[in-house]
Amino acid sequence: MPTRTGIFAGALAGAACLALAACGQGGDTTATTAAAPAAPAAAPAPAPAAAAAPTEGDLERARLAAMMNVYPDEAAWEKACVDDKVDAKICECAGKATAKTLGDKGLYAWVWQGYINRDGTARMRSSRWFDDNGIDKAAQQKFADAVGKCYTT
């Protein structure tokens, strides 16, 4: 028991000491301000390290993120499709088919990734998008048929 009391008293004394120091030395009302020491010069910020090459995981995360972002227009969608190493004629045709059947709201990367490249994750994303947007099975099939004509002819 005496040990606990001693520890408690020490902590209380330390807190009182800090409070007195913060209030300006207790009851003394004549403020004496000492010259504040000059702040040390800030060290220059280190030069940013060269950007590391993206890892396989970084590329996969970027691909998945692109599936969830709609492109602003058909031209941007087609450019991204071609940049993903899909034939330009197929991208142009698929972009027009998507805009015609789904409208500009359907210009997602999962269109070429899921329906042209046959990526399973992109197909699951498209199913979710169709459900979220209330697009029935007949309209989904119409879309798939229109995009499918782009790479079978």
Side-chain angles (χ1 to χ4, degrees):
M1 189 71 138
T3 306
R4 280 194 218 164
T5 306
I7 292 172
F8 180 71
L12 188 59
C17 180
L18 288 174
L20 287 174
C23 293
Q25 307 288 330
D28 185 42
T29 58
T30 58
T32 57
T33 54
T55 64
E56 194 71 29
D58 293 337
L59 295 173
E60 180 65 11
R61 280 187 288 284
R63 187 182 71 78
L64 292 173
M67 273 194 261
M68 295 187 287
N69 297 324
V70 68
Y71 287 90
D73 57 29
E74 222 176 297
W77 186 92
E78 287 177 25
K79 181 184 179 325
C81 179
V82 171
D83 289 349
D84 201 22
K85 298 179 179 49
V86 179
D87 183 81
K89 289 182 182 180
I90 293 173
C91 290
E92 181 181 350
C93 176
K96 289 187 186 328
T98 301
K100 182 178 178 183
T101 57
L102 301 178
D104 286 347
K105 68 179 183 175
L107 293 172
Y108 286 91
W110 53 254
V111 172
W112 78 77
Q113 291 169 348
Y115 291 87
I116 296 170
N117 292 344
R118 303 290 190 199
D119 178 78
T121 304
R123 288 297 293 265
M124 288 188 310
R125 181 72 189 143
S126 72
S127 295
R128 172 84 186 257
W129 186 86
F130 288 132
D131 291 343
D132 289 350
N133 287 282
I135 297 175
D136 65 6
K137 295 293 182 191
Q140 291 177 35
Q141 189 59 53
K142 180 180 176 185
F143 159 75
D145 291 343
V147 171
K149 291 177 184 175
C150 294
Y151 58 90
T152 57
T153 56

